[in-house]
Amino acid sequence: MSGERQNNQLELAFLGESRGEAPMASGQGIEPPAEERKTKDPADTEYLMEEVCQRENLKKALKRVQSNKGGPGIDDMTVDELPDYLKEHWPDIREQLLGDTYQPQPVKRVEIPKPGGGMRKLGIPTVLDRFIQQAILQVLQPRWDPTFSDHSYGFRPGRRAHQAVARAQQYIAEGYRWVVDIDLEKFFDTVSHDWLVGRVARRMDDKRLIRLVRRYLRAGVMEDGLVSPTDEGTPQGGPLTPPTQSITLSLSEVSP
């Protein structure tokens, strides 16, 4: 897709975004006036859903989803079909997000080989849900990531396992002699949703976004044509995977 055509699709998809006709944040829906919102202040977390739905954030999220490509979810919609779908349906989706009624679709179960043997189960969200999750991620990650430990390297932007190894090597050079490698089997598959959502709720005040995170956690899994509920575990395969897993790893930082 050419850059010009892509930009045109982005503008058309979110054309109604500047009209200000959406209902208020507290549930009815109308987005509060700009002077009453402080979306740039990390401490202001009451109207995060409005920030998620801002045009520039959505355009950035759509570009990211398109660049990441990936296969379709349970509805078989492809990444290339997403802009036209948003052009037609985004006003209704936006109203659902702001009005706290949006319901994510179940993820599609796939398995990929692990480097050390065995298979890893992933849940592939629909491209629409990947787009919404990416828009959420772009709002939450800049607020949350600076609060995590400097010694944490997992599921964070700009951090890799190789950096953790380099830090361990630095400790060895400083005279330390022990490096402990621990792998908690299926740890993220057994995380309590109530526990995780409780930790998320300590970091923001927008109840709509808190409930939407819970809905994504409990959206269900389709495998062999059958949908099974997800009663525990964090999503593996969507853009919300990194922040939810980082929150899970930051127990000592968010607990009393």
Side-chain angles (χ1 to χ4, degrees):
M1 179 185 302
S2 69
E4 182 178 356
R5 182 183 173 194
Q6 185 182 56
N7 287 335
N8 288 339
Q9 285 184 312
L10 290 170
E11 290 298 335
L12 287 170
F14 310 119
L15 191 58
E17 197 66 16
S18 61
R19 295 188 224 158
E21 70 270 17
M24 199 163 188
S26 55
Q28 301 177 341
I30 298 185
E31 184 175 353
E35 62 270 16
E36 294 181 13
R37 288 182 289 119
K38 303 176 183 177
T39 55
K40 299 300 181 183
D41 182 356
D44 183 6
T45 61
E46 187 176 355
Y47 298 115
L48 290 180
M49 192 66 82
E50 277 73 19
E51 191 168 344
V52 168
C53 292
Q54 285 180 356
R55 177 187 291 190
E56 290 306 313
N57 186 56
L58 297 171
K59 289 168 63 177
K60 180 181 175 183
L62 183 54
K63 286 182 179 179
R64 184 59 183 265
V65 169
Q66 288 176 317
S67 66
N68 287 344
K69 300 188 183 299
I74 65 170
D75 61 357
D76 292 326
M77 185 191 302
T78 67
V79 170
D80 291 337
E81 294 172 323
L82 181 58
D84 285 337
Y85 181 86
L86 291 173
K87 184 172 122 179
E88 180 178 355
H89 297 284
W90 175 247
D92 290 337
I93 297 169
R94 182 174 186 264
E95 184 175 352
Q96 292 171 32
L97 290 171
L98 294 174
D100 197 15
T101 61
Y102 180 79
Q103 294 290 337
Q105 296 190 66
V107 300
K108 181 167 67 175
R109 172 72 76 212
V110 298
E111 293 187 348
I112 61 172
K114 291 182 179 180
M119 303 296 290
R120 181 186 304 279
K121 291 185 177 182
L122 297 179
I124 306 302
T126 64
V127 292
L128 173 61
D129 280 322
R130 293 211 297 271
F131 161 70
I132 295 172
Q133 287 188 31
Q134 179 64 36
I136 294 171
L137 174 67
Q138 291 166 183
V139 169
L140 297 184
Q141 198 165 62
R143 286 176 164 86
W144 289 2
D145 193 71
T147 70
F148 298 140
S149 170
D150 187 50
H151 302 285
S152 173
Y153 294 92
F155 316 109
R156 298 177 60 189
R159 289 177 175 253
R160 303 289 184 270
H162 290 88
Q163 294 172 313
V165 172
R167 179 64 69 91
Q169 291 173 332
Q170 177 184 338
Y171 290 149
I172 292 173
E174 292 172 357
Y176 295 93
R177 291 292 175 264
W178 289 92
V179 176
V180 180
D181 181 11
I182 301 175
D183 184 7
L184 300 177
E185 184 178 4
K186 296 184 178 180
F187 175 64
F188 292 116
D189 295 336
T190 58
V191 172
S192 163
H193 290 171
D194 289 339
W195 179 91
L196 177 55
V197 173
R199 269 60 186 176
V200 169
R202 296 186 186 189
R203 292 175 174 263
M204 59 181 168
D205 300 314
D206 194 324
K207 300 296 190 295
R208 299 162 301 170
L209 192 49
I210 295 170
R211 285 190 284 265
L212 182 57
V213 170
R214 179 183 285 276
R215 289 184 200 126
Y216 272 118
L217 290 170
R218 301 181 65 85
V221 175
M222 178 176 284
E223 191 170 14
D224 297 327
L226 299 176
V227 176
S228 302
T230 46
D231 299 322
E232 61 181 2
T234 61
Q236 304 281 322
L240 277 182
T241 296
T244 56
Q245 294 189 339
S246 292
I247 286 286
T248 304
L249 291 172
S250 65
L251 171 62
S252 61
E253 298 170 70
V254 296
S255 295

